[in-house]
């Protein structure tokens, strides 16, 4: 038996040489040996086996790469039971309010009218007979019968009216219930149509990216370090590590909080809190705490007044504010300007963002609503102070600018293809812009990044993090401790950013 590793061609060569020897033997008149026959069979077997192997190899084709969209319904299901109840009620109502019900009343009224006419006629006859002294018991009996019939008809009408009144009251209550159900179903449908439209756009964009990747020539695998980050990419967000409602309770759902990434000496543990106390939009003071424990206990509080009132020139507007290097940066009142409030000298300087949308033109949004006056968002990272905004000239796509924190000037600007109104918030970390989107009332997700060094945009990130409430009004990264500080419907939360 030939071992599998033995070369087939070598075996064939050996066998062919043996056949030639046997053919010479035949020509010389010598007998054809059984060895030759066995060798022929072996050749045929090897040839057949090789042919089968070649056929199998021909049938084996490499699998084709395909782009597949996996759809999962993570939202609430359509209230089918409510819809069926409303539909059943509508059908029953149509069957109950039949023409016969109204004909019955008309028939009773017609009979009553006929009996009253007969009664009137019989009474006149009786009066005529009475005047002539010819009345009889028969005439009185006829009147008595008519009165009895009229009384029966009145009782039937009263009973019918009573039944109709009860039916109308019950019908009115059921109609109100059905109207409420229909309104709820309509609202559900409207909200989910918007969500599905956004999800369809996201899937279409992902599919286009996938198809473009399949058509593109694969490049050598490289993983450049994002931005100027020495510790790699953002891999996860853990927490919340701490969460609490502010000392204002849940009265003010808009605000901001955090720590100074570049604090003054002796103020490394200081925490700050800004609550927008006027219409969830405007504020005019910063509340300082010496430590996180003071913040939790609401003690050792220092209120620093920025402006005299919430509507004064350069008062605070919107939750997109930060403290950096002992100065508070924020969107100035009713303008597209950035304000800088020096915490030491208590003076304010301003700069205009050219063409920036403001006053609720380009806020952050979730599928069902937008966050008030989040057009201009200040943020920090390892390289300093940044501002996230957009303009009509860029069709609402996010613009990112790095600022000189001291003299408040633009150092450099980047333009992205990400629509600002489709994200819930954004922050900077290691020179990379990260954006979040709404998943449900319990989770948001970091799904997008823009690297300011390489210019590469990615929309395939999937880093979810848990919320305490539905809406996130403020989100900022502190490079000193790699923490994310979040203002979440009057709750203040902190998370750990994990890189690697």
């Amino acid at each position: 038996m030939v071992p599998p590793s033995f070369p087939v061609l070598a075996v064939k060569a050996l066998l062919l040489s043996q056949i030639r020897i046997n053919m010479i033997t035949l020509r010389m008149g010598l007998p054809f040996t059984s060895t030759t026959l066995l060798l022929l069979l072996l050749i045929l077997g090897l040839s057949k086996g090789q042919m089968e192997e070649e056929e199998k190899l021909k049938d084996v084709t490499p699998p084709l790469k395909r782009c597949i969209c996996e759809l999962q319904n993570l939202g609430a299901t359509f209230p089918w039971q409510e819809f069926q109840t409303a539909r059943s009620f509508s059908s029953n109502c149509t069957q109950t309010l039949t023409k016969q019900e109204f004909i019955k009343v008309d028939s009773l009224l017609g009979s009553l009218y006929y009996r009253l006419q007969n009664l009137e006629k019989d009474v006149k006859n009786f009066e005529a007979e009475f005047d002539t002294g010819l009345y009889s018991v028969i005439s009185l009996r006829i009147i008595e019968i008519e009165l009895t019939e009229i009384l029966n008809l009145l009782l039937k009408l009263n009973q019918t009216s009573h039944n109709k009144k009860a039916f109308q009251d019950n019908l009115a209550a059921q109609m109100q219930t059905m109207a409420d159900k229909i309104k709820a179903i309509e609202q559900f449908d409207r909200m989910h149509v918007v969500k599905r439209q956004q999800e369809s756009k996201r899937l279409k964009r992902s599919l286009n990216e996938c198809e473009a990747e399949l058509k593109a020539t694969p490049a050598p695998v490289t993983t450049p370090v994002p931005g100027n980050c020495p510790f790699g990419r953002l891999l996860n967000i853990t927490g919340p590590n701490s969460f609490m409602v502010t000392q204002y309770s849940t009265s003010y759902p808009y605000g901001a909080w955090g720590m100074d990434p570049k604090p003054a000496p002796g103020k490394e543990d200081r925490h700050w809190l800004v609550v927008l106390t006027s219409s969830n939009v405007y504020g005019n003071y910063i509340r300082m705490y010496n430590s996180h424990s003071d913040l939790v206990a609401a003690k050792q509080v220092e209120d620093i007044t920025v402006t005299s009132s919430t509507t004064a020139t350069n008062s605070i507007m919107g939750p997109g504010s930060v403290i950096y290097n002992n100065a508070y940066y924020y969107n100035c009142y009713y303008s597209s300007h950035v304000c800088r409030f020096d915490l030491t000298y208590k003076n304010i300087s301003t700069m205009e963002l050219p063409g920036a949308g403001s006053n609720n033109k380009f806020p952050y949004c979730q599928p069902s609503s937008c966050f008030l006056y989040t057009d201009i968002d200040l943020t920090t990272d390892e390289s300093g102070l940044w501002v996230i905004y957009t303009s009509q000239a860029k069709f609402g796509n996010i613009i990112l600018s790095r600022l000189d924190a001291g003299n408040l000037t633009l150092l450099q600007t980047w333009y992205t293809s990400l629509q600002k109104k489709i994200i819930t918030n954004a922050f900077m970390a290691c020179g990379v812009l990260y954006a979040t989107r709404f998943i449900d009332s319990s989770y948001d997700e970091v799904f997008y990044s823009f690297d300011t060094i390489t210019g590469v945009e990615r929309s395939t990130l999937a880093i979810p993090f848990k919320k305490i409430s539905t809406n996130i009004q403020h989100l900022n990264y502190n490079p000193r401790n790699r923490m994310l500080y979040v203002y979440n419907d009057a709750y203040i939360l902190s998370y750990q950013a994990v890189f690697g």
Side-chain angles (χ1 to χ4, degrees):
M1 183 175 184
V2 180
S5 60
F6 195 81
V8 174
L9 291 176
V11 172
K12 284 187 175 181
L14 178 63
L15 296 175
L16 288 172
S17 63
Q18 182 63 40
I19 290 171
R20 289 191 187 98
I21 293 170
N22 282 281
M23 292 297 291
I24 295 170
T25 304
L26 278 172
R27 287 173 185 160
M28 295 174 64
L30 298 175
F32 188 80
T33 64
S34 59
T35 305
T36 305
L37 180 60
L38 290 173
L39 290 173
L40 284 172
L41 292 174
L42 184 56
I43 289 175
L44 292 173
L46 287 171
S47 299
K48 182 180 180 183
Q50 188 179 21
M51 290 175 65
E52 289 177 352
E53 290 296 325
E54 290 175 354
E55 289 298 323
K56 289 181 181 178
L57 290 173
K58 288 179 182 178
D59 293 337
V60 176
T61 56
L64 296 175
K65 293 183 179 180
R66 294 182 299 167
C67 297
I68 298 175
C69 296
E70 183 178 351
L71 298 178
Q72 293 181 346
N73 184 13
L74 300 178
T77 57
F78 181 78
W80 183 253
Q81 190 63 37
E82 302 285 337
F83 175 75
Q84 286 292 83
T85 301
R87 184 177 181 182
S88 175
F89 171 77
S90 176
S91 177
N92 293 339
C93 178
T94 303
Q95 294 172 6
T96 304
L97 294 176
T98 60
K99 185 176 180 181
Q100 285 73 14
E101 294 291 328
F102 297 99
I103 292 175
K104 182 179 178 181
V105 176
D106 291 341
S107 176
L108 288 172
L109 289 173
S111 298
L112 180 61
Y113 179 72
Y114 174 74
R115 290 294 180 183
L116 287 172
Q117 283 185 325
N118 286 345
L119 178 61
E120 182 182 10
K121 180 180 177 182
D122 292 338
V123 169
K124 287 182 178 179
N125 291 336
F126 176 77
E127 288 176 347
E129 292 175 354
F130 183 81
D131 290 340
T132 58
L134 297 177
Y135 72 91
S136 64
V137 176
I138 295 175
S139 298
L140 288 175
R141 180 59 182 164
I142 291 172
I143 293 174
E144 182 182 359
I145 292 171
E146 292 291 349
L147 289 172
T148 302
E149 291 292 334
I150 290 171
L151 181 61
N152 289 335
L153 288 172
L154 288 173
L155 289 173
K156 289 180 180 180
L157 276 172
N158 286 337
Q159 183 63 37
T160 302
S161 299
H162 178 74
N163 293 340
K164 291 297 179 186
K165 179 64 168 60
F167 174 75
Q168 288 174 355
D169 293 341
N170 183 46
L171 181 64
Q174 292 186 53
M175 288 287 286
Q176 183 60 46
T177 301
M178 187 178 73
D180 294 340
K181 290 181 185 295
I182 293 297
K183 186 176 181 181
I185 292 171
E186 181 184 4
Q187 181 67 18
F188 177 94
D189 187 59
R190 184 182 300 115
M191 290 172 58
H192 282 70
V193 164
V194 174
K195 288 182 181 180
R196 294 299 172 265
Q197 286 176 343
Q198 292 181 343
E199 183 66 14
S200 296
K201 289 179 181 178
R202 186 184 69 81
L203 284 173
K204 186 176 180 181
R205 185 169 62 249
S206 298
L207 185 60
N208 290 337
E209 290 175 356
C210 176
E211 291 175 343
E213 289 176 3
L214 290 181
K215 293 177 182 177
T217 303
V221 178
T222 57
T223 54
V225 177
N228 57 353
C229 193
F231 32 87
R233 296 182 181 277
L234 178 66
L235 299 180
N236 196 13
I237 296 174
T238 62
N241 298 340
S242 66
F243 64 89
M244 58 173 283
V245 69
T246 69
Q247 64 189 86
Y248 300 94
S249 186
T250 56
S251 301
Y252 303 110
Y254 278 72
W257 81 296
M259 297 179 69
D260 190 340
K262 194 176 180 181
K267 297 181 179 180
E268 290 82 2
D269 295 330
R270 192 164 69 165
H271 287 64
W272 60 273
L273 172 68
V274 170
V275 175
L276 303 181
T277 56
S278 176
S279 304
N280 294 325
V281 178
Y282 310 108
N284 68 318
Y285 68 92
I286 309 166
R287 180 154 286 190
M288 292 290 188
Y289 302 88
N290 290 331
S291 65
H292 186 265
S293 58
D294 288 343
L295 172 64
V296 173
K299 64 179 184 179
Q300 302 291 335
V301 177
E302 178 189 4
D303 285 339
I304 299 176
T305 301
V306 178
T307 55
S308 58
S309 70
T310 57
T311 57
T313 303
N314 296 334
S315 62
I316 303 165
M317 182 174 74
S321 58
V322 292
I323 287 181
Y324 180 78
N325 196 18
N326 204 40
Y328 177 59
Y329 298 86
Y330 60 97
N331 183 196
C332 310
Y333 175 78
Y334 212 71
S335 72
S336 59
H337 288 65
V338 173
C339 280
R340 178 186 185 275
F341 176 75
D342 192 299
L343 293 171
T344 301
Y345 298 104
K346 308 296 188 293
N347 56 10
I348 297 175
S349 55
T350 67
M351 67 159 289
E352 184 178 6
L353 290 173
S358 61
N359 301 319
N360 229 26
K361 289 180 182 176
F362 295 105
Y364 293 130
C365 297
Q366 58 151 302
S368 60
S369 62
C370 290
F371 305 128
L372 299 175
Y373 293 85
T374 51
D375 309 71
I376 296 174
D377 187 14
L378 281 301
T379 186
T380 58
D381 77 343
E382 286 77 4
S383 57
L385 181 67
W386 303 76
V387 59
I388 302 167
Y389 60 105
T390 186
S391 67
Q392 289 184 346
K394 293 300 175 182
F395 308 103
N397 291 341
I398 282 182
I399 303 172
L400 176 65
S401 295
R402 191 159 70 90
L403 304 179
D404 185 315
N407 58 25
L408 211 58
T409 56
L410 291 175
L411 296 177
Q412 192 173 356
T413 297
W414 293 262
Y415 302 97
T416 74
S417 63
L418 180 65
Q419 278 278 315
K420 190 169 185 293
K421 279 193 170 185
I422 71 167
I423 68 173
T424 53
N425 224 295
F427 63 94
M428 292 295 299
C430 289
V432 178
L433 171 70
Y434 293 97
T436 63
R437 64 183 170 196
F438 181 86
I439 300 298
D440 55 35
S441 59
S442 299
Y443 286 91
D444 267 24
E445 177 187 64
V446 176
F447 77 102
Y448 170 91
S449 67
F450 172 78
D451 193 323
T452 58
I453 299 299
T454 64
V456 174
E457 291 182 280
R458 297 175 60 206
S459 58
T460 56
L461 279 65
I463 307 175
F465 59 96
K466 187 172 179 57
K467 304 176 288 187
I468 300 300
S469 188
T470 303
N471 304 308
I472 290 179
Q473 290 80 13
H474 167 83
L475 171 61
N476 188 53
Y477 168 75
N478 189 318
R480 191 156 58 94
N481 54 13
R482 301 181 197 170
M483 299 284 286
L484 290 170
Y485 291 88
V486 173
Y487 197 98
N488 179 203
D489 286 337
Y491 290 89
I492 52 177
L493 300 81
S494 64
Y495 300 82
Q496 186 66 57
V498 180
F499 297 86

